[in-house]
Amino acid sequence: GDAEAMEALSLPRAGRRAALSASLPLLQPTTASSGSVWGCIQGVRGAYYIAEGLGPDRAAARSRLYSLNCLDWSLLTPATKEMLALAEQLQGRFQGDPSFEYDLAEVNAEASIVSPQPVMKEEARLIATIEQIDKEVGIVPRGAFVKTPLGSVHENRHFEGLSLAEAKKLSSYFHFTKPVNLKNKTLLEKADLDPSIDFLDSLEHDIPRGSWSIQLEKGGTVVVLRSLLWLGLTFYHVPMTKQFGYVYFGTGEKNLDLPFML
Amino acid sequence: RGVPGPGRTPGSLRALTPGCAAGRAGAWPPAVRIQPLRCSPPSGTPHQPPPAGPAPWDSQQIRRGSEQPHQDPQQAQDQRESAGQTRVRGQAPGQSQSPAQHLGHPRRAAQAAEQLQVPQLNLSPPVRHRGQGTHGPYQPHEPGYGLDQPEFSPYEDEIPDPKARMLAIQNAKAYLLKTSTKSGLNLYDHLARVITKILDEQPENTADIIENISKDVKWAQFRKKMDTLRDEHLILPTYEAAEKCKALFVKDSGEEEEEIVGPPPLPNVMETAFYFEQAGIGLNKDESYCIFLSLKNLVNVQPILTCRFWGKILGLEMNYIIAETQVREVEDQEGGETGHEREEIYEEGEREMDEGEEEGEEKEKRDEPPKSTYKPPPEIPREENGAGTNKYVYFVCNEPGKPWVKLPPVTPAQIVCARKIKKFFTGRLDAPVVSFPPFPGNEANYLRAQIARISAGTHVSPTGFYQFANEDEEEEEGDAYEENPDFEPPPVAEMLESLAAWAHHVKIILKQGRCVWINPQKSDENAEEEEEEEEEKDEEGEGQQEETGPPLLTLISEDAGIKSIPAWTAQASTNLIPEYCIAILQSNRWPGAYAFASGRKFDNIYFGWGHKYSPENHSPALPPPAQAEYPIGSEITETVDPTVEEEMAFKAAQEEALAGDDEEEGEEDEGDDE
């Protein structure tokens, strides 16, 4: 799984990969499960390597950790709404220094948000960006997760992978976040849905249209989806198997020019 | 195991484990008394004829399939009686294997037994009434169940009314075999398959996942039917791709070992990939190797002098793999010819326009719409092949294994336009580029323009590796560089510390879109025929300044950063092993451009979407202002409309003048008359 992912994307360098495999299992006490790589956000002077720990209930908040050298990990506290709003206003690259402070004076002048602090730390921007990326472009294949009647979300042990025909369609992939469009579906559409599997928004109606690029690589054995909104988010899935996942290798900036580029 | 397939005999019903009492479908007519299963009835009693047939079914509210969904013991009794009349003694095949229906409620059984005062006692099993002095009737759960009936021994499985029972069984089975109108399945087969699957796989907590198993069986059922179709479908895409890939690995038997003059044209892609992998950049080994092989094919097919893997540009539908090559001079001449042709065509076009104007003057009598006096700005000729932006020839393919396509040379207009637009590549070279300002060309041209920009901006080498061929030459002519044989590679630490250790070895592209500035007016002088325009243009020509840029082999430390971000980020491949680490440069202006250096080895590569980084959002160029309708001069000027007062005053003045004239005329007339 992870190996496939690394093959299809740009890899962390050999030294880093070895360090990752050495240090990720050590995260178990913190995250209640062995950490898995979320991705890497490249700053100007250094890169942040992000890992996350997944609990049995996937709908619960995930614990995230970051590291500058793949060895020492620091836990990130979940982002507050203020942090999310402020981070959206910030533009430009990450610096690579977690204690770097962004000056919010300009931002506040433009927007009407009044923030209590005059500065925002890069760490806060980091967690806000990660959550934003997950919320906007974190995807899973259809059927990989089931929702129990009690509301918790579990892995579907019966998931055997999408078929090749399904894998090429955008409607077979869901955003792994609170659904927004589900309620707006017509009754006719809802009738075809299976409430235990179809409880998330699919990618079909993402705006703008065409903000995902689907490709078959390695001779058609791996389907790779790349997000054009957050350049660097890559999702892979091997059809007819249980392997899937996504990683982010990029600069942590949203591609706001997307409508011009399509 | 002895579990038959979807058999058609009642014997197959034995496959149902005796343990399941509930959930058993059945249209067992209550009038039929079913013999309990011989194998381990859970109640512990061996087979007995349940004295009361209907009770267990009633309690479970079994549908009869067609009629009477709910049974009352009364009704059951009536039916039983009626059925009993037609009962015939005798053996019926397989009746002894009927599933146990006796697991109903003992109390009901007892009740029914009481009610059952069957007149035809000789046919129906004799039922002992309570209190007859015997120690029965035993309840089904009691060990002595059935023993109190004299006619039946514990080992006898016969049921006295086989025909009715058989009829009932057949009814039940017919119901189960009824095909669903929606899916074509029938319950009988489905259940048999489900049970088979369960017994085959023996999962844990079967009762909890029984619905899922049922669903899976149904799904598998449909899958199997379409098996042949789907197999064929699956083979095609991967098969073709694999075929192409395999073709790469086949060595031509007719290949001759040609004498290669000079260094081998084929680059060592795997070596470069190895170094970049240290940096954490690159494709996986398989893909690198396939690219290696396809480059070999390219070198064999085209007359190539040098070749280099330039990089990979991602696209929406497909990606591009790009090779940078220098081809032998045969190609250059062809390219030169087309360039000259283009200039000639342009000149002819101008002459046509002039002729058109002359014709217009002749046809003054006809009212024709005014001809446009718009002259497009002169086209800047593109650079010759082998110089400037067209120094290298680029070949692209979508995937290793697919044929290589040569990209056309780039023109300055394309570069200028490419700077203003930002579009994703689709992966198809003939796709149009819809943008404003309109891009002069299709995706192949856009790709070529971006490649030229990226090369000019990010191709670097360690300082001193290249030197000018002739140090005496002026900077402008410094297009030729060669390797410096005396180059001493600085240690890696120095490469990382200061960016002055790296230098560009590709000439920068000026604003004009060329590497070497050209005065666009010179090419037009031949075509000018009207003197006025010549004069005007000469004036403009003086106004245009010659554009210059940093010379070749500039140190990259002089690259301007973007706001507060430096243009380049330098990193070592590993901090832990300084002896063997290599220096890596990452471009911040063109995200995705990397360079590495290790001793005498260095290389550049690009993996990305093909766009420049801009901290501000991209805003497309605004449309130009509307063209002036007429030249403002003495003949035509624009003034403000007169106001009403002015008009009235003017009118009044006119009337006065007229009145004055009339009086004068009147006087003259009078004068004449006299």
Side-chain angles (χ1 to χ4, degrees):
Chain A
D2 270 347
E4 299 269 356
M6 299 308 177
E7 284 184 11
L9 328 159
S10 56
L11 338 141
R13 52 195 82 147
R16 296 266 187 257
R17 219 173 356 174
L20 273 175
S21 56
S23 59
L24 280 181
L26 296 174
L27 294 175
Q28 193 172 11
T30 324
T31 61
S33 75
S34 177
S36 66
V37 173
W38 181 89
C40 167
I41 292 188
Q42 285 157 347
V44 176
R45 285 190 282 273
Y48 297 103
Y49 295 90
I50 319 282
E52 64 178 0
L54 306 166
D57 181 7
R58 302 306 178 95
R62 304 182 231 182
S63 55
R64 293 197 176 86
L65 307 100
Y66 79 95
S67 157
L68 293 162
N69 57 2
C70 287
L71 292 169
D72 310 310
W73 298 88
S74 323
L75 191 63
L76 286 167
T77 53
T80 61
K81 279 194 183 165
E82 292 168 345
M83 280 158 69
L84 287 171
L86 284 174
E88 276 197 60
Q89 308 288 328
L90 284 175
Q91 282 187 344
R93 299 275 305 266
F94 280 81
Q95 293 298 320
D97 171 19
S99 52
F100 181 82
E101 289 178 346
Y102 291 93
D103 187 14
L104 293 175
E106 291 179 6
V107 171
N108 284 340
E110 291 174 10
S112 51
I113 304 171
V114 177
S115 75
Q117 321 112 2
V119 294
M120 185 180 190
K121 277 199 163 180
E122 176 143 302
E123 218 183 34
R125 186 185 174 199
L126 183 67
I127 182 62
T129 307
I130 295 172
E131 292 205 1
Q132 215 185 348
I133 290 177
D134 268 341
K135 186 172 141 202
E136 294 188 11
V137 287
I139 59 177
V140 292
R142 178 176 183 267
F145 291 96
V146 281
K147 189 173 182 179
T148 63
L150 300 171
S152 59
V153 176
H154 296 279
E155 266 186 41
N156 179 9
R157 302 213 177 272
H158 271 273
F159 178 60
E160 287 178 0
L162 300 173
S163 66
L164 207 59
E166 282 176 11
K168 292 192 210 158
K169 291 193 233 167
L170 275 181
S171 54
S172 322
Y173 302 96
F174 292 153
H175 286 280
F176 198 57
T177 177
K178 265 213 164 82
V180 172
N181 289 333
L182 261 189
K183 301 169 208 160
N184 301 340
K185 283 194 187 261
T186 63
L187 275 180
L188 211 60
E189 289 172 339
K190 277 193 210 169
D192 287 330
L193 300 179
D194 178 358
S196 65
I197 298 179
D198 295 298
F199 58 97
L200 301 166
D201 283 330
S202 91
L203 297 189
E204 249 185 327
H205 304 292
D206 268 9
I207 294 169
R209 274 190 75 185
S211 58
W212 287 93
S213 127
I214 300 190
Q215 286 178 8
L216 284 175
E217 294 207 1
K218 282 189 92 170
T221 50
V222 178
V223 62
V224 174
L225 271 80
R226 291 195 181 91
S227 165
L228 304 176
L229 185 61
W230 289 92
L231 288 174
L233 189 289
T234 314
F235 169 87
Y236 73 92
H237 173 51
V238 185
M240 305 311 294
T241 69
K242 283 191 77 161
Q243 295 171 344
F244 68 89
Y246 68 84
V247 284
Y248 179 83
F249 275 95
T251 59
E253 289 170 292
K254 195 165 174 178
N255 181 20
L256 292 168
D257 301 333
L258 178 60
F260 293 116
M261 295 169 75
L262 287 174
Chain B
R1 213 171 50 230
V3 175
R8 302 289 171 250
T9 62
S12 65
L13 292 176
R14 178 183 278 210
L16 293 171
T17 55
C20 41
R24 218 174 305 140
W28 306 105
V32 175
R33 197 175 42 246
I34 307 292
Q35 198 70 349
L37 252 186
R38 187 168 259 190
C39 44
S40 61
S43 63
T45 56
H47 61 283
Q48 293 95 3
W57 299 277
D58 297 339
S59 62
Q60 293 155 25
Q61 296 233 345
I62 291 159
R63 279 181 324 202
R64 295 201 63 194
S66 37
E67 323 88 39
Q68 296 139 3
H70 298 292
Q71 302 290 341
D72 286 334
Q74 303 278 339
Q75 284 183 2
Q77 187 188 351
D78 294 339
Q79 288 171 3
R80 187 193 166 107
E81 288 176 342
S82 59
Q85 288 167 3
T86 59
R87 278 182 219 151
V88 168
R89 252 188 203 273
Q91 280 279 1
Q95 283 176 356
S96 55
Q97 292 102 10
S98 322
Q101 293 288 351
H102 65 290
L103 303 171
H105 293 254
R107 200 173 299 162
R108 288 282 209 101
Q111 281 178 4
E114 284 180 353
Q115 295 163 4
L116 192 66
Q117 306 284 344
V118 180
Q120 304 89 345
L121 268 176
N122 56 344
L123 293 180
S124 59
V127 176
R128 284 297 198 100
H129 304 292
R130 276 227 168 93
Q132 264 205 350
T134 61
H135 38 120
Y138 289 103
Q139 313 298 331
H141 64 275
E142 289 173 350
Y145 185 46
L147 288 176
D148 51 342
Q149 279 128 29
E151 291 189 9
F152 283 80
S153 74
Y155 305 109
E156 204 177 306
D157 284 335
E158 284 181 35
I159 292 121
D161 47 354
K163 197 165 180 188
R165 156 168 295 211
M166 226 178 53
L167 185 65
I169 291 176
Q170 284 168 354
N171 282 346
K173 201 162 158 202
Y175 166 69
L176 286 183
L177 282 168
K178 218 156 61 161
T179 331
S180 149
T181 47
K182 236 171 66 164
S183 58
L185 297 172
N186 64 52
L187 187 57
Y188 190 99
D189 293 340
H190 180 66
L191 281 176
R193 263 184 240 117
V194 169
I195 304 290
T196 312
K197 183 175 167 128
I198 289 177
L199 290 176
D200 279 341
E201 297 179 3
Q202 310 247 344
E204 291 183 5
N205 299 330
T206 316
D208 294 337
I209 54 175
I210 181 75
E211 291 86 7
N212 280 343
I213 295 179
S214 167
K215 230 181 185 180
D216 281 345
V217 168
K218 278 191 191 163
W219 188 65
Q221 162 70 5
F222 281 110
R223 217 166 135 201
K224 213 175 167 197
K225 275 188 200 160
M226 291 159 55
D227 208 16
T228 50
L229 285 177
R230 193 179 273 211
D231 270 339
E232 283 193 40
H233 184 67
L234 271 178
I235 284 174
L236 279 175
T238 47
Y239 185 75
E240 280 180 7
E243 262 191 342
K244 279 192 192 137
C245 226
K246 189 182 164 195
L248 279 178
F249 289 85
V250 171
K251 185 170 180 184
D252 279 338
S253 56
E255 250 181 43
E256 294 173 1
E257 294 283 336
E258 292 181 9
E259 286 189 12
I260 301 168
V261 180
L266 188 63
N268 194 346
V269 171
M270 296 311 289
E271 193 183 2
T272 317
F274 164 75
Y275 281 111
F276 276 118
E277 196 188 337
Q278 307 274 309
I281 308 141
L283 313 165
N284 65 320
K285 291 261 172 55
D286 291 347
E287 199 169 346
S288 294
Y289 198 74
C290 285
I291 291 175
F292 196 15
L293 290 173
S294 51
L295 279 178
K296 173 170 108 76
N297 282 349
L298 176 65
V299 167
N300 288 343
V301 168
Q302 303 271 351
I304 289 180
L305 282 174
T306 63
C307 175
R308 196 178 77 84
F309 175 48
W310 185 91
K312 181 173 176 179
I313 289 189
L314 302 171
L316 296 182
E317 297 165 28
M318 290 183 283
N319 305 326
Y320 290 117
I321 293 171
I322 298 154
E324 181 184 76
T325 66
Q326 273 179 321
V327 290
R328 272 184 239 141
E329 293 165 2
V330 177
E331 305 283 334
D332 284 358
Q333 286 172 4
E334 289 181 11
E337 283 174 8
T338 53
H340 287 307
E341 281 173 13
R342 217 174 295 148
E343 290 182 27
E344 288 174 8
I345 291 172
Y346 180 68
E347 291 174 6
E348 283 176 16
E350 277 215 25
R351 278 191 219 111
E352 283 176 11
M353 255 173 50
D354 295 336
E355 289 173 8
E357 287 178 12
E358 290 175 6
E359 288 179 6
E361 290 170 11
E362 290 172 0
K363 295 173 188 169
E364 274 178 19
K365 293 181 185 172
R366 273 196 235 163
D367 236 358
E368 284 185 0
K371 296 261 182 210
S372 160
T373 50
Y374 169 70
K375 278 209 193 308
E379 183 185 328
I380 300 167
R382 69 173 174 84
E383 292 179 286
E384 295 287 328
N385 291 358
T389 48
N390 286 321
K391 182 166 183 183
Y392 295 101
V393 175
Y394 292 92
F395 288 87
V396 297
C397 76
N398 286 122
E399 268 178 10
K402 293 206 179 156
W404 291 90
V405 177
K406 183 169 157 185
L407 286 180
V410 67
T411 66
Q414 288 167 357
I415 291 192
V416 167
C417 191
R419 283 179 171 148
K420 296 185 191 157
I421 66 176
K422 198 172 177 185
K423 285 288 208 179
F424 279 120
F425 294 98
T426 61
R428 290 169 288 123
L429 285 172
D430 52 358
V433 178
V434 180
S435 65
F436 185 80
F439 186 78
N442 56 13
E443 182 157 312
N445 302 104
Y446 183 46
L447 180 63
R448 179 67 180 83
Q450 291 293 92
I451 292 174
R453 289 174 69 200
I454 292 174
S455 295
T458 63
H459 276 27
V460 296
S461 55
T463 308
F465 190 88
Y466 288 117
Q467 66 183 10
F468 286 112
N470 253 331
E471 291 183 6
D472 299 334
E473 286 184 7
E474 296 175 8
E475 283 183 356
E476 277 187 35
E477 313 257 353
D479 207 19
Y481 56 85
E482 62 181 16
E483 280 188 33
N484 180 357
D486 303 327
F487 171 63
E488 289 288 335
V492 171
E494 196 182 311
M495 303 286 294
L496 295 171
E497 252 178 88
S498 87
L499 294 176
W502 302 80
H504 288 282
H505 61 260
V506 178
K507 250 197 160 177
I508 204 168
I509 303 182
L510 304 167
K511 254 193 180 171
Q512 203 183 36
R514 292 171 53 108
C515 292
V516 174
W517 191 80
I518 195 171
N519 192 346
Q521 314 314 325
K522 287 185 196 159
S523 59
D524 284 351
E525 283 175 2
N526 302 335
E528 289 310 317
E529 290 184 10
E530 302 189 11
E531 291 185 356
E532 290 181 6
E533 299 192 53
E534 265 189 8
E535 287 175 5
E536 283 181 16
K537 292 237 163 148
D538 277 346
E539 287 171 358
E540 284 177 27
E542 287 172 3
Q544 276 197 8
Q545 298 249 331
E546 183 176 335
E547 294 176 25
T548 53
L552 194 59
L553 300 185
T554 323
L555 305 175
I556 68 174
S557 48
E558 305 191 12
D559 281 355
I562 313 157
K563 280 191 183 175
S564 58
I565 306 168
W568 295 90
T569 303
Q571 283 175 336
S573 63
T574 162
N575 293 327
L576 301 171
I577 312 173
E579 306 87 61
Y580 292 109
C581 75
I582 63 179
I584 295 154
L585 265 193
Q586 224 179 7
S587 171
N588 292 326
R589 277 202 292 188
W590 291 94
Y594 301 94
F596 83 88
S598 168
R600 289 196 75 96
K601 292 201 191 297
F602 77 95
D603 205 349
N604 301 277
I605 209 161
Y606 183 84
F607 289 111
W609 295 91
H611 299 115
K612 194 170 189 177
Y613 173 72
S614 75
E616 289 93 27
N617 299 333
H618 170 76
S619 45
L622 290 174
Q627 186 189 5
E629 294 173 51
Y630 52 84
I632 295 181
S634 53
E635 293 171 352
I636 313 170
T637 43
E638 197 174 350
T639 54
V640 183
D641 277 346
T643 62
V644 180
E645 292 84 16
E646 287 177 17
E647 276 191 10
M648 302 299 287
F650 183 71
K651 197 172 171 189
Q654 260 193 339
E655 283 172 6
E656 282 181 13
L658 274 176
D661 285 343
D662 285 345
E663 285 178 4
E664 285 180 9
E665 285 181 11
E667 288 175 359
E668 286 177 8
D669 286 343
E670 290 178 2
D672 287 341
D673 287 346
E674 288 180 3

